[in-house]
Amino acid sequence: MTLPAHHHHGRGALPVWDPFRELEDLHTRMDRLMQSAFPGGAELGAAGAWAPLADVEDTEDAYLVELEVPGVDKDDIIVEVTDSEIDVHGEIKEKERTGVVRQRARHIGEFDYRTSLPPNSDTEHISAELTNGVLTVRVPKAEKAKAHRIEIAG
């Protein structure tokens, strides 16, 4: 049984449960299950694109989404953002081979990764960088959403 994701914000703070993260984790686990049960799903006639493996990190000032896209040129990736969602899609092209392929486990073809953005995301200042086959999308947190202490009068 999987327990809810807890986040600690300083000493003595109560853990915070994030239902959106739970849904994203479930979606990721289901994708992996389907990919392991039906490798090369596109060849089996499955409709739609596959989703690359991804990590989402919540740092003090930003959310980082890291996607594994080995062998993909930055010109073959499109990152689109709305107020509530990031959509990364593109294509891993099949490379030309001279021999007989005896085993195929790597994904080829179109891919699509979507994730919801928390309400405190600064969608005007998102950046993306592709390094060593990992696409990192940095979503800064809005200044107004950062936690701060309120002094009690009286």
Side-chain angles (χ1 to χ4, degrees):
M1 181 174 138
T2 303
L3 297 175
H6 293 285
H7 306 288
H8 299 280
H9 300 287
R11 186 183 304 177
L14 293 174
V16 177
W17 178 60
D18 184 354
F20 295 108
R21 177 160 293 151
E22 284 293 305
L23 287 172
E24 286 182 26
D25 289 346
L26 177 61
H27 184 265
T28 301
R29 289 195 305 268
M30 290 301 294
D31 278 347
R32 288 183 186 156
L33 176 64
M34 292 303 290
Q35 289 173 11
S36 66
F38 304 105
E43 296 160 310
L44 298 174
W50 55 275
L53 297 176
D55 290 335
V56 178
E57 183 178 354
D58 183 351
T59 67
E60 187 175 322
D61 63 343
Y63 300 100
L64 301 176
V65 181
E66 297 176 327
L67 294 106
E68 290 185 4
V69 288
V72 180
D73 188 80
K74 70 178 189 173
D75 295 332
D76 293 330
I77 302 172
I78 297 171
V79 180
E80 296 177 322
V81 178
T82 65
D83 287 338
S84 62
E85 186 176 77
I86 290 179
D87 182 17
V88 179
H89 52 278
E91 183 176 5
I92 294 182
K93 296 178 177 148
E94 186 169 12
K95 72 181 212 177
E96 192 132 338
R97 301 181 186 274
T98 56
V100 176
V101 177
R102 299 284 181 193
Q103 179 179 355
R104 172 173 287 158
R106 295 169 54 194
H107 285 286
I108 57 169
E110 293 183 8
F111 62 86
D112 188 37
Y113 176 84
R114 291 174 191 258
T115 189
S116 298
L117 291 173
N120 65 334
S121 300
D122 180 0
T123 57
E124 297 298 316
H125 297 96
I126 294 176
S127 61
E129 182 179 357
L130 182 63
T131 307
N132 297 328
V134 176
L135 175 68
T136 302
V137 180
R138 185 178 187 280
V139 182
K141 292 180 180 177
E143 284 295 323
K144 62 183 179 198
K146 289 186 180 177
H148 59 279
R149 177 168 283 196
I150 305 297
E151 292 299 321
I152 300 172

